[in-house]
Amino acid sequence: MRTVLLFTIILATTGCGMGMDAWIHDEVNDDFTKQSFAQKALQEDLAYLQTQMAARHPVYHELTDEKAINEKFATMSSKIKNEMSRGEYFRLIGTINPYFRDGHSLLFPLLAEGTYAEDKKQNLFPFGVFTQNHSLYINKVYKNKSTGALIEKGTKVVSINGVAGETILKQLAEYGHGETANLRMHMSTLLFHYWLNAIYEWRGNFKLVLEHDNKQETMMLSSHGNWESEQNKLSDNWLKIIANQNAYLKLGTFDVDEESGFEDFVEDAFAKIKEMKVAKLIIDVRGNTGGQSDAGAEVISYLTDKKLNQASSVIEKLSNDNNGLFGYKGKPGEIIELDVIGSQIIEPVEPSKRFKGEVVVLIDEMTYSAGIVFATTLQDHKVAKLVGQPTGGHANQTGNLNPFYLPNTKLLVLAPSRYITRVSGDTSKQSIQPDVIVNKGKDTTVDMTLQVSQELFSN
């Protein structure tokens, strides 16, 4: 695959995965997480968070409201007490996340505590979730290996440990990360198991009330539960050939690597499209919160006969963590411009493999990060028509996450180092606007039926 332009947090299921435990500070073991910290140390950490995020973030002052965020830091500082635990401190200062107004900027919800709890078989919440109309739903089919019991995708989570799903979402919104309130609500579901542990200290045993087909069921989950989903990341991406020479390509995630088989999947999908003489292709990136932008580029290479750039400009703000060996890129704080024409060009596949028909791309408020880069590239190069809902995130995106740590509590903070301006060069801080808006103000999850596809292509 090509050079990775953009990274995001893609943790839609439980477990650290992706080597997330590598982001735990070397000094943080299980004993460290149980320490309490003096007020002076906690004040130092808060000041460090404020200065370092501003110093590392490439467009910090453009995205944040300076007056509001400074007042928030001052309010949190006034509430710091002596001898606070990491958990107590996080629950106070984690409320800064919404003020960064960026889905790639956040104080991470107690990664070490969650990891060490699972090491001791105090499992975190075992199911991935999504939100719709301010309610929580199970995101995949889960099966209990011991009993064979199934939980269907789309099952509503009425309550967890006696707290209503809607109340949980409202609470997590106070810690959410993202450009808009809607995006922050959705993003909280990606780290849901960590948030439940960090905010509610829920791990081990859970009492769930679930609702499916208008029937409610109470379920007790133990620390040693055996729930699993047979769906891997690649199963979020699939192709369906539908009638009248139409095809539907679901790209649920770009969180793939060279071992995932994504390139083979894309090649096979377009070979099938070619074989079936498909004339009209629907690509669905609703709910795709990103991953690697070169995964999207892999798909785009089958849709064009020209070399395409994915951005009009990419800047990188240097720090001690990303300025290269012996600082060859430059000094910390310096902003450099990357070569988006020479190194980030999408090369079209050979003509015999190329799709030459009409393309529609479905987007929604949860299309984010590399999903946004994918959509703007297609829209700005006029390769496809965008249909659906405006994105919750901005059309111009931050990227390339770099972790740093608060000096005393060692809490993990993620900050982007790059800023990507869309191909058109439009610098507006706004969402992607679809060419055709569907179901505005209603349920944004449109079932991809034959009737829907015919309506889309008839416009």
Side-chain angles (χ1 to χ4, degrees):
M1 282 189 170
R2 302 163 183 84
T3 305
V4 174
L5 179 64
L6 189 66
F7 294 91
T8 192
I9 300 170
I10 307 297
L11 293 171
T13 56
T14 59
C16 288
M18 294 177 61
M20 287 295 296
D21 54 350
W23 275 353
I24 299 174
H25 194 281
D26 290 343
E27 296 178 23
V28 179
N29 54 26
D30 192 30
D31 289 336
F32 186 94
T33 65
K34 297 178 174 62
Q35 291 184 26
S36 294
F37 298 85
Q39 189 175 33
K40 181 176 182 294
L42 299 175
Q43 293 285 8
E44 289 175 353
D45 277 10
L46 185 62
Y48 188 82
L49 172 61
Q50 185 172 14
T51 57
Q52 281 297 301
M53 186 63 81
R56 291 165 175 266
H57 198 292
V59 287
Y60 179 85
H61 297 290
E62 295 180 38
L63 294 185
T64 59
D65 179 324
E66 184 175 5
K67 182 175 184 291
I69 198 168
N70 287 342
E71 287 178 352
K72 178 63 176 177
F73 271 112
T75 298
M76 293 189 303
S77 178
S78 70
K79 294 181 179 180
I80 292 176
K81 301 176 182 178
N82 197 36
E83 298 301 316
M84 295 179 75
S85 68
R86 279 182 24 127
E88 291 170 329
Y89 187 56
F90 174 83
R91 286 185 283 277
L92 171 63
I93 70 168
T95 56
I96 194 61
N97 285 341
Y99 290 80
F100 295 136
R101 294 183 174 180
D102 177 22
H104 295 113
S105 303
L106 74 152
L107 188 69
F108 198 97
L110 300 181
L111 174 62
E113 282 80 346
T115 300
Y116 297 138
E118 293 204 314
D119 287 346
K120 294 183 288 187
K121 306 303 181 184
Q122 297 175 356
N123 294 337
L124 304 187
F125 190 73
F127 308 127
V129 296
F130 68 92
T131 178
Q132 181 177 305
N133 297 330
H134 301 279
S135 295
L136 278 172
Y137 297 88
I138 301 296
N139 72 340
K140 294 181 179 180
V141 176
Y142 289 88
K143 182 178 182 179
N144 189 297
K145 291 186 292 185
S146 299
T147 66
L150 289 177
I151 297 179
E152 297 293 341
K153 177 179 178 179
T155 295
K156 183 178 180 179
V157 181
V158 178
S159 66
I160 304 174
N161 293 344
V163 181
E166 291 79 3
T167 302
I168 292 171
L169 280 173
K170 186 176 180 180
Q171 176 75 44
L172 297 192
E174 298 179 18
Y175 297 85
H177 54 106
E179 290 92 304
T180 60
N182 274 340
L183 179 63
R184 290 192 288 270
M185 179 180 65
H186 284 290
M187 293 295 273
S188 68
T189 65
L190 299 185
L191 296 168
F192 191 69
H193 52 306
Y194 286 121
W195 288 119
L196 293 188
N197 182 57
I199 306 306
Y200 294 99
E201 298 184 286
W202 288 348
R203 53 187 175 269
N205 300 321
F206 295 87
K207 180 181 179 181
L208 269 64
V209 177
L210 303 176
E211 183 178 302
H212 184 65
D213 289 339
N214 296 318
K215 296 179 181 178
Q216 286 195 3
E217 175 186 3
T218 299
M219 179 178 293
M220 303 299 298
L221 306 180
S222 69
S223 293
H224 305 290
N226 290 310
W227 292 95
E228 65 176 4
S229 173
E230 295 181 356
Q231 294 176 262
N232 56 30
K233 289 176 182 175
L234 200 55
S235 68
D236 292 325
N237 302 318
W238 46 274
L239 173 71
K240 182 177 181 179
I241 305 296
I242 47 185
N244 299 329
Q245 293 183 296
N246 292 343
Y248 171 70
L249 179 62
K250 176 65 178 179
L251 299 176
T253 182
F254 289 139
D255 180 26
V256 293
D257 54 32
E258 293 182 0
E259 288 72 42
S260 70
F262 183 77
E263 287 188 59
D264 292 337
F265 160 74
V266 173
E267 183 176 14
D268 292 345
F270 280 95
K272 184 70 172 178
I273 288 169
K274 190 83 171 178
E275 176 189 347
M276 300 303 294
K277 295 181 172 55
V278 168
K280 301 172 182 179
L281 174 63
I282 302 167
I283 301 177
D284 189 350
V285 291
R286 292 173 300 167
N288 185 328
T289 52
Q292 287 73 43
S293 59
D294 53 353
E298 190 71 32
V299 177
I300 294 173
S301 69
Y302 286 83
L303 304 176
T304 179
D305 60 356
K306 300 175 183 178
K307 295 181 179 182
L308 302 181
N309 53 311
Q310 297 185 78
S312 61
S313 70
V314 179
I315 60 171
E316 182 170 29
K317 191 170 188 181
L318 301 180
S319 67
N320 285 324
D321 295 327
N322 70 345
N323 66 336
L325 188 64
F326 301 115
Y328 79 88
K329 288 186 179 181
K331 297 180 180 179
E334 184 180 350
I335 293 179
I336 63 175
E337 188 160 346
L338 305 183
D339 179 11
V340 297
I341 301 301
S343 63
Q344 302 294 343
I345 288 294
I346 299 172
E347 296 277 356
V349 298
E350 60 185 76
S352 64
K353 295 182 177 181
R354 193 178 307 142
F355 176 69
K356 301 174 184 178
E358 184 179 358
V359 182
V360 164
V361 175
L362 305 183
I363 64 171
D364 68 0
E365 59 190 9
M366 194 52 174
T367 304
Y368 191 63
S369 193
I372 280 181
V373 172
F374 176 78
T376 57
T377 299
L378 291 172
Q379 185 179 52
D380 291 351
H381 284 296
K382 303 187 185 307
V383 174
K385 177 189 294 184
L386 302 190
V387 175
Q389 287 287 290
T391 56
H394 291 164
N396 299 320
Q397 282 286 289
T398 56
N400 274 50
L401 298 184
N402 285 295
F404 69 94
Y405 304 88
L406 304 189
N408 297 301
T409 59
K410 312 299 182 189
L411 287 170
L412 169 65
V413 187
L414 299 179
S417 63
R418 294 184 184 179
Y419 187 66
I420 299 97
T421 302
R422 65 185 297 171
V423 171
S424 70
D426 185 347
T427 59
S428 303
K429 304 294 188 296
Q430 65 178 16
S431 62
I432 301 178
Q433 297 301 308
D435 300 299
V436 178
I437 292 180
V438 175
N439 273 11
K440 188 172 183 179
K442 299 179 182 179
D443 178 8
T444 61
T445 305
V446 183
D447 288 335
M448 182 43 57
T449 62
L450 177 58
Q451 289 75 21
V452 171
S453 68
Q454 289 175 330
E455 289 175 11
L456 291 175
F457 284 119
S458 65
N459 291 331

